[in-house]
Amino acid sequence: MNRFLLMASLVLLGGVAPFIPQVALAQTPTASPTLLEESVAQNSAQRINALLRRGRELVEANDCAGAIATYREAAALDPDNARIFSAIGFCYAREENFAEAVDAYQRAIALDDRNANFHYALGFSLANAGDYGAAATAYRRATELDTDNVEAFLGLGVVLTRQSDYDGALRAYQRVISLRPNNTQVYEFMGAVYIQQGRFQEAADILKRASDLAPRRGSIQVNLGVALLSLGNVNDGLLALKRAAELEPRNVQIHLQVGNILRSQGNVDRALEYYQQAIAADASSVQAHELMGELLLEQQDYLRAIVTYRRVVELAPDNPNGHYHLGLALQGRQRNQEAIAALETARNLYQQQGNSEGVDTVEAVLREL
């Protein structure tokens, strides 16, 4: 499939973020061998309870670092409490530190293997860490323990899609439909799978259903546009893409996706318009400037490409690709000394990254100059 159409059909990872765990408060023992031991146990339980309450307050205040430290202090006092480790995992996941989140959820599962929510949260963290195989295993375990867990089935479908197991993904999504027939997300995800399979009519049909359920969601309109264009329905496809951008005018990714699709259709002028809209939505988006610069270079519009790539290297001075393409644009205007300076910067950055292929590419251009 054309890489721009495929880009537009991708879906986000993992369904819904893990819940905030309700950590049970420690129970004060009702009996102890001696009064001294009973007093120690009571003090420990009171300390744990205070830490758990404080940890939840910090989570609600979005102070994840403070919450993690507090929960770890509670875990030291109560190392067999699985929900404390689940709470730690949630905080790490919220901070997008998925490696640490995985470790915490695995510790929770080691203490309580029958909790479906722990397995779901582990799957979510593994998926976002890029370990799709392990994520699928965790999501499947969550669905075995809770056969009505919609979020786990959605997450399973997403990671199976990433592994190109489209039939498995569709089975997971069909289960969601049986549980929640009006779940918009599942129809959108199924549409993306059908697009990747080249089943464009089925994609269009199910995405229209998604659009009926959520008429103001731009991402649905993007995928619907892809399906319709792939069926040769250019007018309706372009209308869907236009509607996507109108629905979410500040969504940079939607503008870029629409631009990429139009570019793949050979509609260069319209593609540039959407790249410009993406930049207008977020002037600091390196990706938006890079895509626009790439298209300008293809069209040999070197002057505008120079302006665009100067902005790229300003935003990302350590990105060798920006300096390399700036050099090409300057070369196109026969500003050779400036081109050499930009290309040498690109070569140095490629060398620092250990990218020998990038170094060879730059040196080939330098030899021409």
Side-chain angles (χ1 to χ4, degrees), residues 7-205:
M7 183 186 303
S9 70
L10 295 179
V11 294
L12 295 177
L13 283 176
V16 181
F19 68 109
I20 298 178
Q22 296 285 348
V23 183
L25 298 181
Q27 298 296 312
T28 302
T30 57
S32 299
T34 68
L35 290 175
L36 177 60
E37 289 175 350
E38 181 176 337
S39 176
V40 170
Q42 288 175 338
N43 289 338
S44 177
Q46 290 171 358
R47 178 60 179 158
I48 292 168
N49 291 340
L51 288 168
L52 297 181
R53 283 192 292 268
R54 179 57 180 158
R56 188 164 184 84
E57 290 170 359
L58 290 167
V59 169
E60 292 172 350
N62 294 318
D63 182 0
C64 285
I68 290 168
T70 301
Y71 283 134
R72 287 204 179 279
E73 188 176 349
L77 295 171
D78 191 3
D80 295 327
N81 189 324
R83 289 186 174 272
I84 295 178
F85 291 100
S86 175
I88 292 170
F90 171 83
C91 293
Y92 277 124
R94 177 176 279 189
E95 289 191 319
E96 299 186 1
N97 186 342
F98 295 110
E100 291 286 355
V102 167
D103 288 344
Y105 284 123
Q106 287 175 333
R107 180 68 182 275
I109 289 168
L111 293 166
D112 180 4
D113 182 59
R114 304 293 300 174
N115 189 306
N117 287 321
F118 293 172
H119 289 278
Y120 165 73
L122 175 61
F124 176 91
S125 301
L126 287 164
N128 281 279
D131 191 345
Y132 303 134
T137 299
Y139 281 135
R140 282 197 179 95
R141 180 61 176 155
T143 63
E144 290 168 0
L145 292 168
D146 179 2
T147 57
D148 294 339
N149 192 324
V150 168
E151 288 77 16
F153 280 109
L154 283 171
L156 177 59
V158 169
V159 295
L160 291 176
T161 299
R162 293 297 174 95
Q163 295 179 292
S164 299
D165 182 358
Y166 301 125
D167 291 338
L170 290 172
R171 285 193 296 272
Y173 292 147
Q174 288 290 354
R175 177 60 178 161
V176 174
I177 290 174
S178 70
L179 294 169
R180 302 273 180 83
N182 290 325
N183 184 301
T184 305
Q185 200 171 35
V186 70
Y187 294 109
E188 183 177 4
F189 287 6
M190 288 183 74
V193 171
Y194 285 139
I195 287 172
Q196 293 185 60
Q197 289 183 302
R199 297 162 63 178
F200 298 116
Q201 186 60 60
E202 291 167 280
D205 292 342

Side-chain angles (χ1 to χ4, degrees), residues 10 39 58 67 94 97 119 141 152 167 193 205 207-208 218 248-249 261 264 272 277 285 294 362 368:
L10 295 179
S39 176
L58 290 167
R94 177 176 279 189
N97 186 342
H119 289 278
R141 180 61 176 155
D167 291 338
V193 171
D205 292 342
L207 287 165
K208 286 175 183 175
E248 300 188 36
I261 294 163
S264 73
L272 283 172
Q277 288 179 34
S285 171
E294 184 180 306
V362 173
E368 295 177 5

Side-chain angles (χ1 to χ4, degrees), residues 234-265:
V234 176
N235 290 336
D236 288 346
L238 291 177
L239 283 174
L241 297 178
K242 180 181 179 183
R243 178 158 176 74
E246 290 173 346
L247 286 170
E248 300 188 36
R250 306 305 300 174
N251 189 320
V252 174
Q253 288 304 313
I254 282 184
H255 290 298
L256 294 181
Q257 287 180 337
V258 173
N260 290 338
I261 294 163
L262 291 167
R263 179 178 173 182
S264 73
Q265 296 284 314

